[in-house]
């Protein structure tokens, strides 16, 4: 898949656990885990916005296109 999810990198930079992010964003731990591992097929803009707000970052900090 040419879209790479760097959520774990941003969480490490902000020293935030998956549990803490889950609580602050309002998503279940399992849904965030699916996103973090790159197994998600889609993401809602509202979810991406909430994650960016909590992690104080831009969408490009989380999602990256890598040519295969």
């Amino acid at each position: 898949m040419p879209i790479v999810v760097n959520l774990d990198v941003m969480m490490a930079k902000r020293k935030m656990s998956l549990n803490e992010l889950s609580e602050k964003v309002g998503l279940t731990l399992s849904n965030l885990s699916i996103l973090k591992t790159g197994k998600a097929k889609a993401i809602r803009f509202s979810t991406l916005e909430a994650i960016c707000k909590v992690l104080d970052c831009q969408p490009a900090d989380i999602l990256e296109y890598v040519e295969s």
Side-chain angles (χ1 to χ4, degrees):
M1 184 176 200
I3 301 294
V4 177
V5 180
N6 295 316
L7 183 58
D8 53 345
V9 174
M10 285 309 299
M11 288 171 48
K13 286 182 180 180
R14 302 296 187 252
K15 296 182 169 90
M16 189 174 294
S17 70
L18 198 61
N19 285 330
E20 188 179 352
L21 183 62
S22 171
E23 290 174 11
K24 290 185 176 186
V25 173
L27 287 175
T28 64
L29 202 55
S30 60
N31 282 342
L32 268 180
S33 182
I34 290 168
L35 180 60
K36 184 180 141 194
T37 58
K39 294 180 181 176
K41 299 289 183 198
I43 182 170
R44 292 176 190 243
F45 282 140
S46 58
T47 301
L48 185 58
E49 179 183 359
I51 291 170
C52 288
K53 187 175 183 178
V54 169
L55 293 177
D56 189 30
C57 67
Q58 294 295 313
D61 296 326
I62 297 172
L63 301 175
E64 176 184 3
Y65 173 75
V66 177
E67 202 163 330
S68 53

